[in-house]
Amino acid sequence: MAYIYETHSHTSQASACGRVQGKDYIDYMQKEGFDGMIITDHFFNGNSCVPKDLTWKERVDMYVSGYEDAKKAADGTDFNVMFGIEYNFHGDEYLIYGVDKMWLLENEDIMDKSREEVYACVHDGGGIMVQAHPYRERDYLDTIYLMPSITDGIEIYNAANEDYMNALAYCYAKEMKVPVTAGSDIHFFYDGPKGGMMFEDRIDTVNDYAKALMAGKGIPVVLHGGKVTPVEEQANLRIPEHGPQFEVVNL
């Protein structure tokens, strides 16, 4: 038996671009074929809807509310809701897995830190950092930033991106020889392809997810039309049609 988990998702309670409250994802994601999900709302230095004029504790409370509501709504079901973070620097964003609300409360100065300092702080807290959609191109971006030294893994399939962007991420991850992930980057309900990580064993906590990922146990998959297909079996997601359209900067 296989278990599939959404690894990249946003709620309207913390992400300015989110359109779904955390509690409303549960039935929908189960019907889409997922056994659980990781809520990774945009942090305060990303596309966040959390007001800046609140105290740090108030901001953190609001930030985790989407996750907490989803977890409460999933109580009593087989669907597992876990906590994560999408952390932004200068357009390069990282999915942080393995830290919790207390870690956020204890690191009020987190946004004053450099990339290397954040990475060290995450590791000190028992977490990992996966670069999200590294070859993403948008009209509000003009440069692709890659930083292998703070990257524990690479998101090679992001359902919100074009195939060539995902294929470029796939090639980058293979070159780096790091663990790979897939996620939907879901902000609202839709009928198109979704991404997830498939495991032989059930994942109970986000720390278990991080450990399994680093051990190379997960398989990135695409869910669409009732079918689950490994990314590895789809040539369009492995072989880029063309190179990046933006300048690529290795930091």
Side-chain angles (χ1 to χ4, degrees), residues 128-173:
I128 62 171
M129 286 172 55
V130 172
Q131 185 165 8
H133 41 57
Y135 281 88
R136 175 185 58 162
E137 296 174 2
R138 297 290 189 274
D139 56 8
Y140 52 84
L141 300 171
D142 58 16
T143 305
I144 292 169
Y145 292 105
L146 303 177
M147 193 166 183
S149 63
I150 68 163
T151 303
D152 294 308
I154 297 293
E155 184 181 58
I156 61 168
Y157 178 75
N158 180 296
N161 284 327
E162 296 183 40
D163 287 354
Y164 80 91
M165 299 177 193
N166 288 319
L168 287 167
Y170 174 92
C171 293
Y172 174 51

Side-chain angles (χ1 to χ4, degrees), residues 92 94 115 145-149 249-251:
D92 54 320
Y94 300 82
R115 289 177 175 86
Y145 292 105
L146 303 177
M147 193 166 183
S149 63
V249 176
N250 283 275
L251 299 172

Side-chain angles (χ1 to χ4, degrees), residues 143-212:
T143 305
I144 292 169
Y145 292 105
L146 303 177
M147 193 166 183
S149 63
I150 68 163
T151 303
D152 294 308
I154 297 293
E155 184 181 58
I156 61 168
Y157 178 75
N158 180 296
N161 284 327
E162 296 183 40
D163 287 354
Y164 80 91
M165 299 177 193
N166 288 319
L168 287 167
Y170 174 92
C171 293
Y172 174 51
K174 291 301 180 182
E175 180 181 341
M176 285 185 59
K177 298 179 181 179
V178 296
V180 293
T181 73
S184 306
D185 202 352
I186 189 169
H187 292 71
F188 48 81
F189 300 147
Y190 69 96
D191 295 328
K194 294 174 177 63
M197 290 295 289
M198 184 169 66
F199 296 89
E200 290 185 1
D201 300 313
R202 183 179 294 278
I203 299 294
D204 293 320
T205 71
V206 72
N207 298 89
D208 290 340
Y209 170 75
K211 290 177 182 177

Side-chain angles (χ1 to χ4, degrees), residues 58-89:
E58 288 171 335
R59 296 179 77 186
V60 171
D61 285 343
M62 183 172 176
Y63 177 74
V64 303
S65 64
Y67 153 73
E68 290 177 340
D69 285 353
K71 186 169 181 60
K72 183 177 180 180
D75 285 349
T77 74
D78 292 331
F79 191 81
N80 188 21
V81 177
M82 296 168 280
F83 176 72
I85 299 167
E86 184 167 16
Y87 194 94
N88 175 63
F89 286 103

